[in-house]
Amino acid sequence: MTSLSVCGAPNESELREAARYTTWRRSHAIKFMFGLGCFLILTGIASFALGQRENAVGVTVLGSSYVAFLLLSPRISIRKQIKSTPHLFEEGEYDFDDKQFQIIRPSVQLAMSWNNVHSAVELQRQFVIYTTKTCFFSVPKRFFSDDQLSSVRELLTQVLQARGKTFHAA
């Protein structure tokens, strides 16, 4: 199989999209915590309806704060990443072949064997390559021409399925 090479720099909105998908689709703990926050809100509303206002306010505020934090956590996470690793937005070269993928930027170079990849997902605007269930590399689709998009889909499907791993469109 031939190699595929593209260049570009991801932007914050693309990283947020990947973080939002990862948070809500790949983390059962976040779903459980969101359910708990919603339960607290409903408990507060029920307490208020039953005339127990002193209990209702605290529980409702606590549940609302909890849910708001969970909804904002992908954005918070990406902002922290941006501050701690500014090289994320450097122009880079992304190389794919049947053995590995590479990201080459002025300040960092990374090569990762497909054996070390957990899975990959195609989102609306990008490909997300997971090294663990929640750690990922984002490769925006805008880096690829139309021909290259079908080639990278085919490559990801082949290399991951050959290793018993998954690639799918979200």
Side-chain angles (χ1 to χ4, degrees):
M1 178 172 282
T2 61
S3 65
L4 181 64
S5 184
V6 294
C7 292
N11 60 42
E12 185 177 347
S13 69
E14 290 160 341
L15 291 175
R16 269 198 322 264
E17 177 188 14
R20 194 171 23 257
Y21 175 86
T22 301
T23 299
W24 293 105
R25 299 275 179 100
R26 297 178 70 94
S27 175
H28 298 296
I30 295 291
K31 291 175 187 176
F32 175 77
M33 293 183 331
F34 184 75
L36 180 62
C38 290
F39 176 74
L40 289 171
I41 292 170
L42 292 174
T43 301
I45 292 170
S47 294
F48 185 76
L50 294 173
Q52 300 172 346
R53 294 179 187 192
E54 62 279 349
N55 295 337
V57 173
V59 173
T60 305
V61 169
L62 179 63
S64 298
S65 300
Y66 206 57
V67 167
F69 173 76
L70 293 171
L71 291 174
L72 294 174
S73 66
R75 180 179 292 233
I76 293 167
S77 174
I78 291 303
R79 289 217 172 133
K80 283 183 179 181
Q81 281 291 100
I82 290 168
K83 287 180 182 176
S84 66
T85 53
H87 66 80
L88 286 175
F89 299 109
E90 291 178 345
E91 182 82 15
E93 183 178 333
Y94 296 74
D95 296 321
F96 301 87
D97 63 34
D98 59 344
K99 294 191 183 346
Q100 68 181 6
F101 75 93
Q102 289 183 285
I103 301 173
I104 302 166
R105 294 184 177 129
S107 65
V108 68
Q109 295 182 9
L110 165 95
M112 183 165 287
S113 165
W114 293 114
N115 291 329
N116 296 325
V117 170
H118 181 274
S119 59
V121 175
E122 180 179 0
L123 299 179
Q124 183 178 355
R125 299 185 313 158
Q126 64 196 301
F127 295 99
V128 183
I129 301 171
Y130 289 93
T131 56
T132 68
K133 190 171 181 178
T134 57
C135 295
F136 62 85
F137 292 98
S138 169
V139 185
K141 288 181 178 178
R142 63 185 165 80
F143 295 177
F144 299 94
S145 68
D146 289 339
D147 293 341
Q148 290 174 322
L149 276 174
S150 61
S151 295
V152 76
R153 279 186 197 107
E154 184 179 310
L155 174 71
L156 288 171
T157 301
Q158 287 177 359
V159 297
L160 293 175
Q161 283 182 351
R163 290 159 176 84
K165 302 181 182 201
T166 61
F167 171 69
H168 63 87

